[in-house]
Amino acid sequence: MIERLQKVIAKAGIASRRHAEEMILDGRVQVNGKIVTELGTKVDPEKDYVKVNGKRIQIEPHKIYLLLNKPRGYITSVHDPEGRPTVMDFVRDIKERVYPVGRLDYDSEGLLLLTNDGDLAGALMHPSSGVEKTYWVKIKGHLTEEKIKKLAQGGLSLPGGKSAPARVRPLRKTSEHDWIEIIIHEGKRRQIRMMVEKIGHDVLKLKRVAYGFLALGDLLPGDYRRLTPAEVKGLKGLIHKGGAAKKAPVKPKGEAVRGKRAGGG
């Protein structure tokens, strides 16, 4: 994000903004190897090299944490070489560079986190994190108790290894379909779909409704909201506790923002 040079120096904790202005006027500040004495100079802390008294300053970027309701038909990626729409279309008004935490398939929908906190994102995506993800799954046909037990007990052969035990419960039935809830702590690609296929059924709809203690709630498809400081602290706590899940809140906090694509922007 482009900012005035004196503000960047102040953010780094080198000096107050007024003192930073004096340092610039005194010729003690360099940007990309050149001395800068103009107070109106603007820089990008993530791209430009800023030195004060010959020493490069380190800027901690402003951390952003977003919860998006991903619609079907979008790639969970920053860019897609095939030109398909990505989830970044919904957060174009966010100035900081954010990226998805994990993935949801093109045909899947629901709760997706985005952030520029690389440490937290990496920890959450690591297999050892054990953060539980909750999905509502629409299945073609009807499941027997035996098939539900197979999903829950684990041991289904999947690419990359066998599935771990999961928590599975029926939600509702129609004349042709079953809805079930599946809670897993793994993150294999297309895992839920492959698990259901292994017991002889197809997934017609897949929606992630919770990530650890975070709930999707009534957030509309394509909309996002910022996590509260308490929620960010809670996510970091999940890492230290090995992903132990807490009960998701009935109504998530934070003001929803209409995604750019969804809002016609």
Side-chain angles (χ1 to χ4, degrees):
M1 183 169 61
I2 305 299
E3 294 181 301
R4 287 183 177 272
L5 182 55
Q6 55 265 42
K7 184 177 180 180
V8 170
I9 295 172
K11 275 188 175 181
I14 304 298
S16 67
R17 193 175 302 188
R18 180 173 296 180
H19 187 200
E21 292 176 351
E22 295 175 358
M23 299 171 83
I24 294 171
L25 294 173
D26 289 342
R28 296 159 59 189
V29 179
Q30 292 179 314
V31 177
N32 299 326
K34 296 182 179 180
I35 295 176
V36 174
T37 58
E38 295 291 333
L39 294 182
T41 301
K42 293 185 178 181
V43 297
D44 184 342
E46 295 185 10
K47 294 181 178 180
D48 296 317
Y49 291 82
V50 179
K51 288 185 177 182
V52 177
N53 295 328
K55 185 177 181 180
R56 186 183 177 188
I57 64 175
Q58 299 294 326
I59 305 295
E60 183 71 17
H62 178 56
K63 296 296 196 312
I64 301 293
Y65 306 90
L66 307 176
L67 189 159
L68 170 74
N69 185 352
K70 174 196 173 299
R72 297 178 68 176
Y74 286 82
I75 299 296
T76 306
S77 176
V78 175
H79 301 288
D80 181 59
E82 298 180 24
R84 292 171 294 183
T86 79
V87 294
M88 306 310 294
D89 290 342
F90 300 106
V91 294
R92 285 180 288 169
D93 57 327
I94 298 296
K95 296 180 180 179
E96 292 81 1
R97 297 181 181 88
V98 296
Y99 44 87
V101 177
R103 67 169 67 236
L104 278 175
D105 297 330
Y106 181 83
D107 292 324
S108 300
E109 58 188 283
L111 193 157
L112 181 69
L113 297 177
L114 298 99
T115 185
N116 60 351
D117 187 339
D119 291 338
L120 179 60
L124 289 172
M125 290 187 287
H126 195 276
S128 65
S129 71
V131 177
E132 291 189 333
K133 279 82 74 173
T134 304
Y135 299 86
W136 288 351
V137 190
K138 182 181 181 181
I139 295 175
K140 185 176 182 179
H142 298 291
L143 298 182
T144 63
E145 289 186 9
E146 181 181 356
K147 288 184 175 182
I148 291 178
K149 185 177 179 180
K150 284 184 178 181
L151 286 175
Q153 69 187 8
L156 298 171
S157 296
L158 306 175
K162 293 184 177 181
S163 64
R167 302 213 301 275
V168 184
R169 70 181 180 97
L171 294 175
R172 61 182 183 273
K173 290 179 178 288
T174 68
S175 59
E176 299 180 354
H177 312 118
D178 274 2
W179 279 89
I180 63 172
E181 178 183 85
I182 301 180
I183 301 176
I184 61 174
H185 60 78
E186 300 177 282
K188 295 183 177 69
R189 186 173 182 272
R190 298 182 65 83
Q191 179 171 345
I192 299 291
R193 295 179 186 276
M194 291 188 295
M195 288 169 60
V196 173
E197 288 172 2
K198 280 290 182 179
I199 61 170
H201 293 265
D202 292 327
V203 170
L204 301 179
K205 188 172 184 178
L206 180 62
K207 182 176 184 179
R208 184 193 286 165
V209 296
Y211 187 97
F213 64 90
L214 293 171
L216 185 62
D218 55 4
L219 198 65
L220 297 175
D223 287 359
Y224 71 86
R225 68 176 181 86
R226 293 176 184 261
L227 297 189
T228 67
E231 288 173 330
V232 174
K233 183 178 180 180
L235 276 181
K236 294 179 179 179
L238 286 184
I239 302 303
H240 297 302
K241 295 177 182 178
K246 301 177 183 178
K247 186 177 180 181
V250 176
K251 289 186 178 181
K253 299 177 181 179
E255 183 177 353
V257 178
R258 172 65 75 178
K260 284 294 184 179
R261 177 68 66 95

